Amino acid sequence: MQVPAPFEYRRAESVDQALDLMTRLGSTARLVAGGHSLLPMMKLRLAVFDYLIDINDLHGELGYIVVGPETVRIGALTRHRELLESAELAAAFPIFADAERVIADPVVRNRGTLGGSLCQADPSEDLSAVCTTLNASCVIRAPGGTRTVSMEDFHRGPYETAVGDGEILTEIRIPVRERGSSAYEKVERRAGDWAVTSAGAALWLNPDGTIADARVGLAAVGPNTTGIPAISQALRGRQPSEDAWQEAAALASRHCDPATDQRGSADYKRHLAGELTRRTLRRCAQRIEG
Amino acid sequence: MTTTAHRVEPENNDHKPLGHGRMLRKEDPRFVRGRGRYVDDVQLPGMLHLAILRSPVAHARIVSIDVTAAQASPGVRAVVTGEALGEQGLAWMPTLSGDVQAVLATDKVRFQGQEVAFVVADDRYAARDALELIDVEYDMLDPVIDARTALAPEAPVIRDDLDGKSDNHCFDWETGDAEATERVFAAADVVVSQDIVYPRVHPAPMETCGAVADFDPVEGKLRLWSTTQAPHAHRTLYAMVAGLPEHKIQVISPDIGGGFGNKVPIYPGYVCAIVGSIVTGKPVKWMEDRSENLISTGFARDYVMRGEIAATRDGKILAIRTNVLADHGAFNGTAAPVKYPAGFFGVFTGSYDLQAAYCKMTAVYTNKAPGGVAYACSFRITEAVYLVERIVDCLAYRLEMDPAQLRLKNLLRPEQFPYTTRTGWVYDSGNYEPTMRLAMEIAGYEELRREQAEKRERGELMGIGIAFFTEAVGAGPRKDMDILGLGMADGCELRVHPTGKAVVRLSVQTQGQGHETTFAQIVAEEIGIPPDDIDVLHGDTDNTPFGLGTYGSRSTPVSGAAAALVARKVRDKARIIASGMLEVSVADLEWRKGAFHVKGDPGRSVTIQDVAMRAHGAGDLPDGIEGGLEAQICYNPSNLTYPHGAYICVVDVDPGTAQVKVRRFIAVDDCGTRINPMIIEGQVHGGLTDGVGMALMEMIAFDPDGNCLGASLMDYLIPTALEVPDWETGFTVTPSPHHPIGAKGVGESATVGSPPAIVNAVVDALKPFGVSHADMPLTPSRVWDAMRGAARPPI
């Protein structure tokens, strides 16, 4: 049994109370939601906090999926399992179900949350790639009010986000656009492992069948929170085709910065960034065709 | 010798055989209800908890250790360093290979994770928190991480604790005939050589290692609950090391959550728990955490091999030669019989009829965890089988021969048994071709090759891999084998109670193998008492006869033979009592399982239960017969047993991502007489899953500074149900001629046989790229390298 260093523990009863506690305790405190990243890090004593504020009782306030005509809003405490099982979400953005099927295992998915995943900001994290792909924005609440930031601004680097001391990520907002679809693919060494590399893609078509827009979000190959504008530029106005996907794949390989580690060599990951970009864009097009 | 071949079909296990046969495991009700009792479940009044401070670096001199703050930490009862142990002569302990290992480091730390100090405190948290307060000053030394550089003149000397040691050489070992082998190689039509690495892996049992030590200063008695596969051997070693009288030591190995060789050695933590209990006068529990288990306990493999094979142009294999560099880590902690420093690697000649063979091995020290014990390796047979089955496939590639046909052409023939190999091993029995043919039949081998040819036309990557293995298990004959002077025989004791129920006491210890069922069945087969009426006791040195424990697939070959023979002894006595009861001569009795019948008058009979009551009753017994119905035995095997098997693996490789999918796996095993087929299948399934792990994902890696990169199960991957196919198994039965019931060991067969089958399949899939070898672990990245002609060793 691995045991963490001593800490104090509070269960928040409301978002306001959690904010109040976080404001008072500052950087010595951490929110715990699903706990599947934070608690192992604390047990390994890679992370030490004096206080844990447990927000799991706030699921009523922060756990929801609302699919509107222009925006999908997802509460930060929405659990992986809820994302996986939401038919409405899958209809709007099939990328979520694609990704959730390959995130960890059922035990983790029962507890882990969307907000926790984004705030952990692990470079291999799947939902960050999904949110990047979908051009999501993040609603951050502070005692003085809320602000909304893009994924690009949300991620400050590995394990670092725009959420400051005394702030809480409360909601993810995803714009809904017509004639679009999305997909996600991941290569892992074993079921439940972090990605060697993964790619999300979203594609939108014009009424004439040409590409209106495309975005690609990569995981585990360096910072990728922009959706790779070069791919959008290269594909807009073109017919969906293997040539187009090939060009996007080449751009994805170029626009990433992987490192060699136990999961794979940098060259291999760069190759995968392209290969998975091709596969996910192809699937987007197939899904739009129905 | 007759061999029968069978394909395993799904079966109902709900039988109640009066002896051998398929039946549910007697131990499972407590496990499936969560009522198993493991070391960590042991709670004693006043028990304290121990935590170990480990070295953060691979190689450094200890300048100073300050424990003042830790001693003052709340709840702390004792802080002990190597210096303090040294004052009691306990800072170093012998390993199973005759080397010494530091219990707590005194002079230097020699691997990351090495034990430096320990804290005993009121609870686990207080003990762990106090570790952070121990201040150790290290003077960093260059580490030796790559075994290939260990013997370089400029390499730092790791074992400067050994008198006069000026290099990192551990031992040299050779077997076979170098000159004869050279002659065959020089004259051969074809010679193929290949560098082959078997990377360091870890047994990673679900339960980590731990102990509860309870020293009673009044009685002078030590009770030690510990995660050990060899409680009796451990007791003797504690007596020899600590100077405690052996009758005052009781080692109890309760339920064990997997061993795989990991729980054969004595670890410093066990000794620390004992010292902690003596120092504090309280029971002390030490349970290592997952990271400690992965970074500091017995690893396996770590062989850098060069394999060479000589053959005729038409595929007759003539000779095999190998050169091995063995990485033994910082201390030589290998568990192997004394005369076998490389374990049973000598069976690298495989299942083939050779003219010559030779192996030269050099073992070195490196700044890595000690061990090399096992992981279900049958004393290094895993490495040997991998080498021979890989190099045979390399030969098939060179000769452009089908690997199945090449093997069929060279397998030993049944009339050659008992067969003495070119390295001196006497294979007891074998009938290889039917085993191979059955595997090919279940696989639909010819159809698979047709499918593969079609897929290759379309650019799809499908591979078919074969491995044929012979194992040497059941150590071992006392004339050849001992561990630190302890012979490898096994005791067994059987006692039949007045009402005809029985208790059998074993010297071996189950870690999941199902001894409580299998051994009840062995006894039941011999004396006709139902297995449910036979209690199997094991794991407690005060209540079981001496023996060397469970590892190297030795339980059934050695202890299983003891159980059968002790039951026959009891039956012989029962026969005499029965003759008195039936008033006929012994010769007039006929034994039908469970009862003695009068020949010619089968209606007159007494059951074994009747005899048991008479044995303990008030009536007369035949002249010279004592009351009671029990016997004891110590069995010394005359030879090892040699199970064999044919495995076929089918993989698909994604050409775009290089991911390997094991689509099918066919395993045909021959372990002689099958006592409980369901248990055998379970062991085969588990071993095959192990094999998928080793072939595709497992490796304990180190960075150049000696930091272990596999310190958690997020970093050290073990396979899940999603990585394995539905296993297709079959079996042939070629009994062992010298084992009383013809049984051979099987626990490690699948772990030994599956990695080469899987690797051969992946390499076969990559044949269109001109790939003839790729080393494990075959992660997607490494497979992709191989596809581009850039395959490289993992270390």
Side-chain angles (χ1 to χ4, degrees):
Chain A
M1 187 175 74
Q2 289 173 298
V3 294
F7 61 89
E8 287 184 40
Y9 173 88
R10 282 289 296 275
R11 281 186 91 84
E13 290 162 16
S14 68
V15 173
D16 285 337
Q17 189 204 10
L19 277 173
D20 179 49
L21 286 166
M22 295 294 287
T23 305
R24 278 196 294 154
L25 299 172
S27 63
T28 63
R30 195 78 159 189
L31 293 178
V32 59
H36 275 90
S37 295
L38 181 61
L39 297 186
M41 286 174 70
M42 290 175 68
K43 286 179 165 193
L44 291 166
R45 303 202 179 206
L46 297 171
V48 177
F49 297 101
D50 294 336
Y51 304 93
L52 280 194
I53 314 298
D54 186 337
I55 55 170
N56 280 288
D57 288 348
L58 312 185
H59 190 260
E61 230 176 316
L62 293 179
Y64 53 83
I65 300 170
V66 180
V67 177
E70 290 177 0
T71 307
V72 171
R73 298 188 300 116
I74 307 176
L77 206 61
T78 306
R79 305 206 188 268
H80 288 299
R81 182 177 166 177
E82 296 169 301
L83 297 172
L84 176 62
E85 292 179 351
S86 166
E88 261 194 311
L89 185 63
F93 301 117
I95 187 173
F96 270 104
D98 286 355
E100 287 293 356
R101 270 188 212 105
V102 292
I103 290 175
D105 52 50
V107 176
V108 171
R109 293 200 292 261
N110 281 341
R111 297 293 295 169
T113 65
L114 172 59
S117 300
L118 265 51
C119 288
Q120 177 68 14
D122 188 300
S124 305
E125 213 286 311
D126 296 288
L127 289 183
S128 298
V130 168
C131 288
T132 294
T133 303
L134 297 176
N135 200 18
S137 50
C138 304
V139 179
I140 299 169
R141 192 160 141 192
T146 63
R147 61 196 175 103
T148 302
V149 299
S150 67
M151 284 302 292
E152 198 175 350
D153 292 334
F154 182 80
H155 267 273
R156 295 274 169 85
Y159 309 102
E160 263 186 81
T161 71
V163 182
D165 295 342
E167 291 189 322
I168 296 179
L169 172 67
T170 55
E171 186 177 281
I172 310 304
R173 289 181 188 160
I174 306 167
V176 176
R177 297 162 68 178
E178 288 182 314
R179 290 179 297 278
S181 193
S182 55
Y184 194 77
E185 249 195 73
K186 172 175 176 175
V187 168
E188 52 193 356
R189 293 174 300 171
R190 187 203 64 189
D193 189 21
W194 294 97
V196 177
T197 297
S198 57
L203 187 71
W204 297 271
L205 300 185
N206 293 311
D208 66 0
T210 58
I211 295 169
D213 201 359
R215 291 176 62 87
V216 169
L218 304 173
V221 285
N224 281 284
T225 51
T226 62
I228 312 183
I231 290 180
S232 312
Q233 283 156 23
L235 296 192
R236 276 182 204 135
R238 290 177 61 170
Q239 288 292 333
S241 67
E242 283 301 312
D243 282 351
W245 314 147
Q246 174 52 36
E247 191 176 336
L251 286 167
S253 284
R254 266 212 298 287
H255 283 81
C256 65
D257 186 20
T260 295
D261 60 18
Q262 288 292 296
R263 294 197 186 101
S265 68
D267 284 349
Y268 173 63
K269 293 178 185 182
R270 199 178 284 283
H271 162 78
L272 281 184
E275 180 66 26
L276 299 181
T277 293
R278 182 208 331 270
R279 290 183 184 194
T280 46
L281 281 168
R282 187 189 291 148
R283 181 161 313 148
C284 289
Q286 287 163 351
R287 281 175 170 166
I288 295 171
E289 281 175 22
Chain B
M1 181 170 53
T2 56
T3 297
T4 54
H6 307 268
R7 177 178 188 145
V8 170
E9 306 292 351
E11 272 196 62
N12 175 12
N13 296 313
D14 205 12
H15 304 289
K16 295 280 185 189
L18 189 65
H20 302 168
R22 188 173 280 276
M23 68 174 267
L24 293 177
R25 302 200 323 165
K26 291 175 60 175
E27 47 265 79
D28 281 346
R30 74 173 184 273
F31 292 131
V32 299
R33 292 173 196 177
R35 299 301 293 266
R37 183 174 154 87
Y38 299 89
V39 168
D40 205 15
D41 294 320
V42 174
Q43 300 291 345
L44 300 178
M47 189 173 76
L48 304 175
H49 295 263
L50 186 147
I52 293 175
L53 181 71
R54 294 175 181 278
S55 170
V57 297
H59 200 194
R61 198 161 295 284
I62 295 175
V63 178
S64 64
I65 304 180
D66 183 351
V67 300
T68 322
Q71 278 170 330
S73 186
V76 169
R77 304 291 188 101
V79 183
V80 174
T81 63
E83 192 182 347
L85 280 188
E87 289 163 11
Q88 310 297 322
L90 289 172
W92 293 83
M93 63 177 188
T95 70
L96 294 176
S97 318
D99 193 1
V100 291
Q101 172 175 1
V103 177
L104 294 176
T106 49
D107 51 344
K108 287 203 306 189
V109 289
R110 292 175 170 86
F111 66 94
Q112 187 191 47
Q114 185 179 342
E115 298 78 1
V116 173
F118 70 80
V119 171
V120 181
D122 289 343
D123 61 50
R124 225 165 243 191
Y125 292 85
R128 180 67 183 78
D129 291 343
L131 294 185
E132 317 251 305
L133 303 173
I134 298 174
D135 188 14
V136 185
E137 188 184 341
Y138 293 106
D139 186 6
M140 301 294 287
L141 299 168
D142 287 338
V144 179
I145 302 307
D146 183 348
R148 298 176 189 88
T149 66
L151 295 179
E154 68 276 14
V157 178
I158 299 166
R159 296 300 304 280
D160 48 357
D161 58 296
L162 300 172
D163 271 348
K165 192 76 183 148
S166 60
D167 59 23
N168 295 313
H169 182 258
C170 184
F171 65 82
D172 285 325
W173 175 78
E174 62 178 339
T175 186
D177 186 330
E179 282 177 28
T181 306
E182 175 53 33
R183 280 197 299 276
V184 175
F185 267 85
D189 299 341
V190 181
V191 170
V192 177
S193 69
Q194 178 64 52
D195 288 332
I196 296 171
V197 172
Y198 209 135
R200 176 176 283 232
V201 295
H202 196 278
M206 195 184 295
E207 179 202 32
T208 59
C209 298
V212 176
D214 184 14
F215 182 74
D216 180 337
V218 178
E219 299 282 334
K221 174 142 185 168
L222 171 69
R223 284 188 301 163
L224 183 74
W225 287 261
S226 68
T227 51
T228 169
Q229 297 176 224
H232 289 278
H234 279 201
R235 183 193 62 195
T236 305
L237 294 178
Y238 290 128
M240 288 158 64
V241 174
L244 289 168
E246 194 167 2
H247 68 297
K248 294 288 191 186
I249 304 172
Q250 180 183 12
V251 175
I252 304 164
S253 182
D255 285 330
I256 298 293
F260 315 108
N262 188 235
K263 291 164 182 168
V264 174
I266 291 177
Y267 290 118
Y270 303 158
V271 179
C272 292
I274 294 169
V275 172
S277 181
I278 292 172
V279 167
T280 61
K282 302 276 190 186
V284 169
K285 177 185 284 185
W286 167 68
M287 225 34 235
E288 68 188 3
D289 64 31
R290 179 63 58 193
S291 296
E292 292 180 288
N293 180 254
L294 285 168
I295 67 174
S296 74
T297 65
F299 70 94
R301 326 287 190 255
D302 221 343
Y303 270 19
V304 177
M305 306 183 276
R306 162 155 284 239
E308 294 176 284
I309 190 165
T312 63
R313 211 165 281 111
D314 62 352
K316 173 79 185 99
I317 300 171
L318 303 173
I320 294 175
R321 182 163 58 188
T322 177
N323 199 301
V324 181
L325 178 63
D327 184 339
H328 278 241
F331 307 101
N332 185 12
T334 292
V338 169
K339 284 189 204 164
Y340 301 87
F344 299 169
F345 188 79
V347 300
F348 71 90
T349 54
S351 313
Y352 310 109
D353 187 11
L354 305 180
Q355 292 178 8
Y358 177 67
C359 169
K360 166 94 172 68
M361 180 179 296
T362 299
V364 296
Y365 292 115
T366 60
N367 288 111
K368 301 180 197 169
V373 289
Y375 193 175
C377 78
S378 301
F379 296 125
R380 302 284 192 184
I381 289 175
T382 315
E383 292 91 325
V385 166
Y386 182 67
L387 177 92
V388 59
E389 289 307 291
R390 193 74 273 289
I391 196 77
V392 165
D393 253 39
C394 290
L395 177 65
Y397 182 92
R398 169 74 67 83
L399 295 173
E400 297 181 358
M401 268 185 86
D402 180 280
Q405 294 307 323
L406 178 61
R407 286 179 172 82
L408 282 168
K409 189 182 175 87
N410 287 283
L411 288 175
L412 291 166
R413 297 180 310 281
E415 64 272 17
Q416 290 177 281
F417 291 89
Y419 174 80
T420 304
T421 71
R422 294 293 169 183
T423 48
W425 299 77
V426 183
Y427 291 4
D428 59 345
S429 65
N431 192 5
Y432 293 171
E433 185 171 336
T435 310
M436 185 73 180
R437 296 274 182 205
L438 178 59
M440 291 171 71
E441 180 198 320
I442 296 173
Y445 186 74
E446 301 306 325
E447 181 51 39
L448 284 172
R449 286 291 176 202
R450 270 194 293 279
E451 179 192 348
Q452 180 185 42
E454 285 169 24
K455 288 197 160 154
R456 278 190 180 153
E457 291 289 316
R458 297 200 297 268
E460 294 174 37
L461 303 177
M462 167 185 167
I464 305 159
I466 298 169
F468 194 101
F469 65 88
T470 301
E471 273 208 283
V473 301
R478 55 188 301 158
K479 67 180 185 332
D480 296 327
M481 295 177 190
D482 69 276
I483 290 183
L484 291 182
L486 298 174
M488 303 188 78
D490 271 311
C492 191
E493 187 188 312
L494 173 62
R495 194 179 294 176
V496 183
H497 301 315
T499 56
K501 315 295 183 188
V503 56
V504 58
R505 298 166 195 272
L506 311 179
S507 60
V508 290
Q509 156 64 20
T510 185
Q511 311 115 41
Q513 293 91 340
H515 288 17
E516 291 171 31
T517 309
T518 298
F519 282 79
Q521 290 187 264
I522 292 172
V523 171
E525 178 77 21
E526 303 298 333
I527 59 169
I529 293 175
D532 280 344
D533 289 351
I534 302 171
D535 208 12
V536 177
L537 294 188
H538 58 100
D540 180 340
T541 56
D542 272 10
N543 294 314
T544 55
F546 186 86
L548 273 215
T550 293
Y551 42 85
S553 300
R554 66 185 298 279
S555 288
T556 294
V558 187
S559 255
L565 293 178
V566 81
R568 288 176 193 175
K569 258 176 123 169
V570 165
R571 192 177 68 201
D572 288 344
K573 179 174 179 180
R575 182 188 292 273
I576 298 170
I577 297 172
S579 75
M581 293 169 75
L582 292 165
E583 298 180 330
V584 296
S585 77
V586 167
D588 288 334
L589 286 177
E590 187 183 13
W591 169 253
R592 293 183 205 161
K593 203 188 282 183
F596 295 98
H597 300 260
V598 176
K599 283 181 188 164
D601 187 3
R604 284 180 63 205
S605 65
V606 288
T607 64
I608 188 74
Q609 289 81 6
D610 297 334
V611 175
M613 186 54 85
R614 173 59 72 99
H616 294 87
D620 282 343
L621 293 172
D623 285 347
I625 294 297
E626 292 175 4
L629 193 56
E630 53 198 62
Q632 194 170 342
I633 196 176
C634 181
Y635 177 78
N636 172 34
S638 59
N639 188 8
L640 304 173
T641 65
Y642 293 79
H644 66 270
Y647 289 0
I648 299 178
C649 176
V650 183
V651 301
D652 297 303
V653 178
D654 185 320
T657 63
Q659 286 170 293
V660 175
K661 174 80 187 164
V662 179
R663 191 209 308 172
R664 290 181 66 196
F665 199 105
I666 295 90
V668 177
D669 276 283
D670 190 324
C671 59
T673 302
R674 295 163 73 83
I675 298 157
N676 184 328
M678 185 202 74
I679 287 180
I680 294 171
E681 285 156 28
Q683 292 205 293
V684 169
H685 290 185
L688 296 175
T689 306
D690 270 351
V692 169
M694 289 180 287
L696 300 185
M697 63 192 77
E698 292 185 34
M699 175 170 157
I700 293 282
F702 295 84
D703 73 10
D705 294 328
N707 295 304
C708 178
L709 303 177
S712 80
L713 293 180
M714 287 196 296
D715 304 299
Y716 184 73
L717 298 185
I718 50 179
T720 73
L722 295 176
E723 277 75 43
V724 301
D726 284 337
W727 308 113
E728 300 169 65
T729 58
F731 61 94
T732 55
V733 177
T734 312
S736 168
H738 63 84
H739 188 280
I741 58 175
K744 301 180 177 183
V746 71
E748 297 158 308
S749 289
T751 318
V752 165
S754 53
I758 298 163
V759 173
N760 286 347
V762 174
V763 171
D764 184 52
L766 302 185
K767 200 173 182 181
F769 300 92
V771 174
S772 61
H773 178 71
D775 282 316
M776 300 183 281
L778 290 169
T779 59
S781 183
R782 294 177 47 75
V783 172
W784 187 70
D785 287 343
M787 286 164 65
R788 294 181 311 136
R792 56 182 195 280
I795 51 173

